[in-house]
Amino acid sequence: MSRLQDKVAIVTGASSGIGRATAKQFAREGAKVVVGARRDAELQSLVAEIRADGGDAVALAGDVRSEDYAKALVALAIARYGRLDVAFNNAGMIGEAGPSTGVSEAGFSNAVAVNLTAAFLGAKHQIAQMQTHGGGSVIFTSTFVGHTAAFPGVAAYAASKSGLIGLTQALAAEFGPEGIRVNAILPGAVDTAMYQDMNDTAESQAFITQLHALKRVATPEEMAKSVAYLASDDASFVTGTAMLVDGGVSITRT
């Protein structure tokens, strides 16, 4: 499959989980990939895997909360590959959890900075570059939490990720006339390191599994295929959408 042949893509949060799987999926489908995250060793390992499979990728480690880093990722894409067609702003965190009355201002602000502000800063510079050649696809990782179903104890996560849906819609409306599509995926539970950390007992994992209509959690590779669809011309008339990829957890929670 080569739906992304010769396209150039940026993926943040690429050192593990959905980001790592998506970078590999993009490369398999023909894209040249710029991968970003905090952990350089993991990024270099990912680049080596992609190249070993015949793909083309380059890495730049940094902090997504920094606007300079957002600029640097775009600059690297242009310096290395000459253009930018796709951006998957995926970096995120659960943030400070627990009863909302006990969440610190710093904890709440950090979740917003990583999950929402960083995505805006990335898109700001990615879209500016896409405008120079008349189109592109920007994708965010939001969540079903706080959109179709709510859980107690994750106010910072829910609020910041819900904000991504508003950002998606605003950017889609603003830049649609220039051929730039903006969408978000809303995963259910995905078997990542973050999921394992949050659900570190068999009982917890069984509970989460049963919440989903499909009675299982997703693999990162399943999320990656959905992102690749939104990145590709198969989704040429899709913009401003918050696409549930949640295994039916929304319909069992509402």
Side-chain angles (χ1 to χ4, degrees):
M1 185 180 294
S2 56
R3 292 183 298 181
L4 302 178
Q5 192 65 44
D6 297 325
K7 292 187 182 294
V8 177
I10 289 172
V11 179
T12 69
S15 60
S16 63
I18 296 172
R20 189 180 189 93
T22 300
K24 295 173 74 171
Q25 183 71 31
F26 280 1
R28 281 194 296 269
E29 297 204 28
K32 300 173 178 65
V33 190
V34 176
V35 294
R38 290 174 301 159
R39 297 176 293 177
D40 185 61
E42 285 81 353
L43 289 179
Q44 296 303 329
S45 171
L46 171 59
V47 167
E49 288 180 29
I50 289 172
R51 290 177 178 172
D53 287 339
D56 192 348
V58 63
L60 180 66
D63 186 341
V64 292
R65 295 172 296 182
S66 164
E67 185 165 8
D68 285 342
Y69 181 56
K71 293 178 184 178
L73 286 170
V74 173
L76 178 57
I78 302 309
R80 182 67 177 256
Y81 301 121
R83 60 186 291 122
L84 178 64
D85 304 285
V86 177
F88 181 36
N89 296 292
N90 166 72
M93 64 184 303
I94 294 295
E96 190 173 329
S100 296
T101 51
V103 173
S104 68
E105 180 180 359
F108 190 91
S109 296
N110 193 44
V112 172
V114 173
N115 293 339
L116 180 56
T117 307
F120 167 73
L121 293 173
K124 172 183 172 181
H125 295 284
Q126 295 151 7
I127 289 171
Q129 182 59 45
M130 291 174 184
Q131 287 176 305
T132 66
H133 60 82
S137 174
V138 176
I139 305 155
F140 301 116
T141 301
S142 181
T143 177
F144 79 97
V145 177
H147 177 60
T148 57
F151 289 89
V154 288
Y157 176 72
S160 56
K161 288 289 192 176
S162 294
L164 281 175
I165 298 173
L167 180 62
T168 295
Q169 294 168 345
L171 295 178
E174 185 173 354
F175 297 104
E178 298 180 65
I180 297 170
R181 299 183 296 105
V182 186
N183 294 287
I185 61 164
L186 278 62
V190 183
D191 190 9
T192 64
M194 184 184 295
Y195 168 79
Q196 294 290 340
D197 288 344
M198 292 181 64
N199 301 280
D200 57 358
T201 67
E203 292 77 13
S204 176
Q205 292 184 18
F207 172 74
I208 295 298
T209 296
Q210 288 304 308
L211 291 177
H212 294 70
L214 293 178
K215 304 307 177 190
R216 65 178 180 85
V217 301
T219 65
E221 289 72 23
E222 287 176 305
M223 295 298 112
K225 291 174 183 177
S226 295
V227 179
Y229 161 71
L230 291 173
S232 77
D233 291 341
D234 286 351
S236 59
F237 203 62
V238 180
T239 195
T241 190
M243 188 172 80
L244 285 165
V245 194
D246 71 346
V249 68
S250 298
I251 59 174
T252 67
R253 291 281 296 172
T254 55

